[in-house]
Amino acid sequence: MRSDAGGQTDTRETGEEEGGHPPTVLGWIVRLVSLLLLLLLIGILVFEATRPEKEVRFETEPKFDEMRSQNGQFLLPVEVTNRGTRTAHTVRLVVSDGAQERVVEIERMAQAESKTFVIAWDSPPRTVDARIESYEQP
């Protein structure tokens, strides 16, 4: 505690709040919560900076057990899943049965997102090759 020329006490050195009172329980709780939030933010930033980055990785699965006939066409659902940790844009799905080829443009696929598309065929396909031909990374 220090006095200046006017006889007033400097409370910054004693840890007391302005007015000469020590910090209250509420004051300590606010300080503790602020410290915990700051540590949480630092932890999240460190985790994101050190997390291994995986490229975009797709899985495609034709659902033959869910194929149905409607208006003379055979509808085959094809599920596309982004197994990577990054979002992909302008994804181009190509589905072929050997004789015919269908192309589906997918605007955006987020990480760990699955989408199902229904592909129409003139005759029931026995085998289907579903693959991602191209995509753009953000």
Side-chain angles (χ1 to χ4, degrees):
M1 192 152 48
R2 218 175 49 189
S3 296
D4 62 6
Q8 295 187 352
T9 306
D10 186 359
T11 60
R12 286 177 284 168
E13 292 179 7
T14 63
E16 296 178 353
E17 291 183 354
E18 213 170 296
H21 302 289
T24 63
V25 173
L26 182 60
W28 283 110
I29 290 173
V30 169
R31 289 179 179 129
L32 182 62
V33 168
S34 298
L35 179 64
L36 289 175
L37 288 174
L38 182 63
L39 290 175
L40 178 67
L41 179 63
I42 291 171
I44 290 171
L45 291 175
V46 168
F47 174 75
E48 288 295 323
T50 59
R51 183 174 73 163
E53 192 69 31
K54 293 182 187 173
E55 290 299 315
V56 176
R57 185 172 49 99
F58 292 102
E59 288 181 8
T60 58
E61 181 183 356
K63 305 277 187 172
F64 286 102
D65 56 331
E66 297 177 20
M67 185 168 55
R68 63 187 186 280
S69 176
Q70 185 176 342
N71 297 329
Q73 290 192 318
F74 294 89
L75 306 176
L76 176 66
V78 177
E79 183 179 44
V80 180
T81 305
N82 180 356
R83 296 281 182 207
T85 59
R86 301 192 69 174
T87 298
H89 295 275
T90 317
V91 179
R92 184 177 170 91
L93 169 68
V94 177
V95 183
S96 173
D97 70 346
Q100 302 174 28
E101 187 173 274
R102 304 285 191 266
V103 177
V104 177
E105 295 282 337
I106 306 167
E107 184 66 30
R108 178 181 173 274
M109 292 259 333
Q111 62 186 13
E113 181 179 16
S114 291
K115 293 183 179 181
T116 302
F117 299 93
V118 178
I119 309 295
W121 302 96
D122 296 330
S123 60
R126 296 186 196 275
T127 61
V128 169
D129 176 38
R131 67 187 189 285
I132 300 299
E133 189 175 74
S134 64
Y135 62 90
E136 295 177 7
Q137 291 186 358

